Amino acid sequence: MRLALHPNDPPALVSRGSGQIMATLAGWKRLIEIVPSKFNGITFDCGVTRELGEDPVAVCRYFGSRDRINHCHFRNVRVARPYEKYTEVALDEGDIDMFAVMKELVRQKYTRLIYPEHPRGLDYDRERPGFKPVYPGGGGYAGFAYTVGYARAMLQAALAG
């Protein structure tokens, strides 16, 4: 069994008066140094990585090369100001080159879960009677299907070379 600690989401340095150990890249690196085992790793969240102002491809390479990505949240954001002002968007709309991240996951021979997190709302979902998003501000079944399909297509393209 592999443990995967998720970074602070949102990446607040202080929450309820307490400093947060998973609110910086340095904190993530420190976590995997505490217990030097592949079973002690992180949930690599592309969105949070960019929200910190970090490069998701470089961070993926760092943790992937150490076999410490034990779970992956695959989502995109637009960041106006790291830590403070960002917006979750569809995989193909944000600041992150999601295909470059996927290619890096493949390059690192990552074989565990890639979870296309926080699907965005689509008109099809919003037009359904009684629609309730599966994530606040997000989408429903159609949004989730779109996100999974898009991520799957990127994975197939990355595997093809």
Side-chain angles (χ1 to χ4, degrees):
M1 176 187 306
R2 288 179 174 244
L3 301 177
L5 186 57
H6 194 291
N8 285 52
D9 186 3
L13 294 169
V14 177
S15 178
R16 298 181 185 193
S18 297
Q20 300 297 299
I21 63 168
M22 293 297 283
T24 65
L25 180 56
W28 303 0
K29 290 178 178 180
R30 176 72 182 114
L31 171 79
I32 69 166
E33 293 168 358
I34 293 170
V35 177
S37 167
K38 67 182 180 184
F39 300 103
N40 173 44
I42 67 164
T43 295
F44 169 61
D45 186 314
C46 306
V48 171
T49 302
R50 182 68 190 104
E51 291 163 12
L52 298 175
E54 301 291 344
D55 174 8
V57 175
V59 171
C60 179
R61 186 174 302 121
Y62 180 87
F63 287 98
S65 68
R66 290 158 176 78
D67 195 19
R68 295 304 191 86
I69 298 174
N70 292 345
H71 186 216
C72 177
H73 284 179
F74 201 70
R75 66 183 180 91
N76 207 340
V77 294
R78 282 193 198 117
V79 178
R81 197 169 39 256
Y83 284 95
E84 296 176 24
K85 189 173 182 184
Y86 51 86
T87 304
E88 294 185 64
V89 296
L91 290 178
D92 60 339
E93 295 180 337
D95 295 341
I96 304 169
D97 181 345
M98 297 303 290
F99 187 51
V101 173
M102 186 64 78
K103 288 191 294 188
E104 189 60 37
L105 287 166
V106 168
R107 191 175 299 118
Q108 295 300 329
K109 298 179 174 40
Y110 177 75
T111 60
R112 288 170 286 285
L113 182 67
I114 298 172
Y115 181 72
E117 186 184 45
H118 304 184
R120 305 323 306 151
L122 298 178
D123 289 344
Y124 179 86
D125 283 324
R126 290 185 197 104
E127 293 165 357
R128 300 295 119 213
F131 167 69
K132 290 185 173 96
V134 294
Y135 179 77
Y141 295 117
F144 195 75
Y146 174 84
T147 304
V148 168
Y150 203 94
R152 178 79 176 151
M154 280 192 273
L155 176 58
Q156 290 173 336
L159 288 169

